[in-house]
Amino acid sequence: PVLRVPVLKRKDYVKNHCNSRSEIYRTFLLSTEQEFPSSSSSSSSSDFEKGCYHRISHQSTSTGTKMIFGLFLPSNYINESSNNTPVMFWLSGLTCDDTNFAIKAGSKAFAAAEQQGIAIVMPDTSPRHDESIPNVDSYDLGIGAGFYVNATAKPYKQHYHMYDYITKEIPQILQGLNIGKDGYKSIAGHSMGGHGSLTIALKEGKSAWKSCSAFAPICNPTNCPWGQKAFTAYLGNVENGKVHDAVCLLEAAETPFYDDILIDQGSADNFLEEQLKPEAIRSAAEKCGQKITLNMRNGFDHSYFFIAAFIDNHVEFHGKKLNDK
């Protein structure tokens, strides 16, 4: 079943987060998703209200299933071919779907995106909405845990193509809406999504993504239980996961990828040492000269409270890169 996002009353949102004298802050959470005809359809058949958060459902060519993603559009958005609204991708972590970020951190993130004049797209973390999708009774594998790779091993290889979904299919849809054209997109994420944002940005480079950031990312998944379990199931073995490991990608590099990569990590995160390993990515980055701004946030854990506390810094970080034309 589709999770319904509760409606935020505009007066409460403005009172708590916005300049009430300005009509540009018109962020609402819509209670139902909107149908998007197909990944290859013209945007002329879809008219999305600007200054709002939408949930868009479509039939995915990557996963072969119905997929839903969230989309915040700033009020300067214009759906015309002469326009190009920059976009920040947000990749969520284990157990999440397309709604968690919007519900738990959206108020600050959307207000910051409005100020920067950028869109935010929030994909799901795996295929779902279809009984044929393989799943296991485990929070860290299967539905809600796609790990942002293209699975090559049975039974996952038919539907679990989240790498293509993030890097090809959603950008194609957005370009049809005059969003994120010509590489004007950036990428961020949390935990498993932080792993996704780092590896996708490192693999595709600055021509595809203007900037990259992460909250509590799984930095070295070939060397932690979450990653080893996922790579074995989706790719056949851990060795095949090295091309989706940020530490491995940095260790193999000879030159830096970006002028800076922003990472925030809570010092009280109970997954810090066993699963996340931020010191490993800092060490790997030093070898190729890649600058990483690693903020250790005292007392913060792995939760969305942590994300909500600092998400505006990340949106501003990406907004400056995306608006530097």
Side-chain angles (χ1 to χ4, degrees), residues 150-171:
N150 290 335
T152 57
K154 294 181 178 180
Y156 300 100
K157 67 178 184 178
Q158 180 179 356
H159 295 299
Y160 283 75
H161 295 164
M162 293 305 294
Y163 188 90
D164 282 352
Y165 183 65
I166 301 300
T167 63
K168 297 178 181 179
E169 186 168 359
I170 290 186

Side-chain angles (χ1 to χ4, degrees), residues 76-204:
N76 67 351
Y77 167 69
I78 301 173
N79 189 8
E80 296 179 357
S81 60
S82 59
N83 184 63
N84 185 17
T85 299
V87 62
M88 183 187 101
F89 278 57
W90 173 266
L91 307 186
S92 289
L94 294 167
T95 76
C96 292
D97 63 11
D98 66 285
T99 65
N100 295 75
F101 178 79
I103 295 171
K104 297 178 180 180
S107 58
K108 285 189 69 177
F110 298 160
E114 177 66 37
Q115 290 180 332
Q116 295 295 324
I118 66 173
I120 301 179
V121 63
M122 295 144 277
D124 206 339
T125 56
S126 75
R128 64 181 83 221
H129 312 301
D130 192 307
E131 293 182 356
S132 68
I133 298 171
N135 192 29
V136 294
D137 187 17
S138 177
Y139 78 95
D140 55 357
L141 191 68
I143 293 176
F147 253 80
Y148 303 105
V149 299
N150 290 335
T152 57
K154 294 181 178 180
Y156 300 100
K157 67 178 184 178
Q158 180 179 356
H159 295 299
Y160 283 75
H161 295 164
M162 293 305 294
Y163 188 90
D164 282 352
Y165 183 65
I166 301 300
T167 63
K168 297 178 181 179
E169 186 168 359
I170 290 186
Q172 180 183 0
I173 294 173
L174 296 180
Q175 287 170 25
L177 297 170
N178 298 299
I179 300 169
K181 296 186 294 187
D182 302 321
Y184 276 91
K185 58 189 191 298
S186 63
I187 192 164
H190 170 239
S191 192
M192 178 186 72
H195 141 76
S197 68
L198 290 171
T199 55
I200 287 171
L202 294 175
K203 285 170 67 67
E204 299 209 333

Side-chain angles (χ1 to χ4, degrees), residues 23-37:
E23 287 300 313
I24 64 172
Y25 292 101
R26 301 192 308 111
T27 302
F28 299 86
L29 299 185
L30 305 183
S31 59
T32 58
E33 76 272 14
Q34 298 163 261
E35 295 290 337
F36 192 87

Side-chain angles (χ1 to χ4, degrees), residues 19-84:
N19 178 1
S20 60
R21 293 173 297 178
S22 174
E23 287 300 313
I24 64 172
Y25 292 101
R26 301 192 308 111
T27 302
F28 299 86
L29 299 185
L30 305 183
S31 59
T32 58
E33 76 272 14
Q34 298 163 261
E35 295 290 337
F36 192 87
S38 73
S39 300
S40 60
S41 297
S42 169
S43 62
S44 61
S45 59
S46 300
D47 189 14
F48 300 109
E49 186 176 355
K50 59 187 178 181
C52 291
Y53 163 78
H54 305 265
R55 295 185 71 211
I56 314 301
S57 66
H58 67 110
Q59 188 65 24
S60 170
T61 57
S62 300
T63 68
T65 66
K66 173 183 174 180
M67 294 293 285
I68 303 176
F69 62 87
L71 178 64
F72 169 77
L73 295 174
S75 44
N76 67 351
Y77 167 69
I78 301 173
N79 189 8
E80 296 179 357
S81 60
S82 59
N83 184 63
N84 185 17

